[in-house]
Amino acid sequence: MTAPTDDDFETPLPSAPVDDTPTVSCSRCDNTWDLAYELDELQLGNQSIEQFALDHRRHTGHFPDDVSPWVVTCRQCPDGDQFLTEHSARRWARTHARHTTHSVELDHGEDRPQVIDPE
């Protein structure tokens, strides 16, 4: 067996830079965006896709492709909202139920929505 040389540990440089900037598309808007702005200017890191999705909904009224929100809807009043994380949706539902004594539906595309009742 021969001893390793310095050449064995050299990594060849890539011929072209790797572009691993995430992209988000929306078929309703017929557009695709790269998230360089969210990563470089806003420095959102791992939350760049979530923030873009929330901003997109705020400006267009709908989420981009491949984003399915958690939907909370009060069964007694017109209050409700959409969230990208289950934790946030459950917190809103529990808080609304506790403060108003209303039952709230929590839906994420399952067979049946879950109902959060006031305690």
Side-chain angles (χ1 to χ4, degrees), residues 21-76:
T21 304
T23 59
V24 174
S25 61
C26 179
S27 56
R28 289 176 72 177
C29 295
D30 193 29
N31 206 343
T32 300
W33 298 267
D34 72 39
L35 301 185
Y37 176 77
E38 285 76 8
L39 290 170
D40 299 337
E41 298 295 321
L42 300 178
Q43 298 180 359
L44 294 173
N46 292 340
Q47 296 178 346
S48 61
I49 293 173
E50 181 178 347
Q51 189 60 53
F52 182 88
L54 291 169
D55 289 344
H56 187 76
R57 178 179 161 252
R58 194 172 300 121
H59 292 285
T60 65
H62 61 268
F63 283 107
D65 297 345
D66 301 324
V67 174
S68 58
W70 289 83
V71 179
V72 289
T73 308
C74 180
R75 289 181 148 187
Q76 292 180 301

Side-chain angles (χ1 to χ4, degrees), residues 87-118:
H87 175 76
S88 299
R90 284 190 183 284
R91 182 174 182 270
W92 189 97
R94 284 191 310 265
T95 301
H96 184 79
R98 184 175 70 242
H99 285 276
T100 62
T101 66
H102 297 169
S103 294
V104 178
E105 286 188 6
L106 177 65
D107 188 16
H108 191 245
E110 297 123 16
D111 293 332
R112 301 172 80 189
Q114 185 180 16
V115 177
I116 308 297
D117 289 315

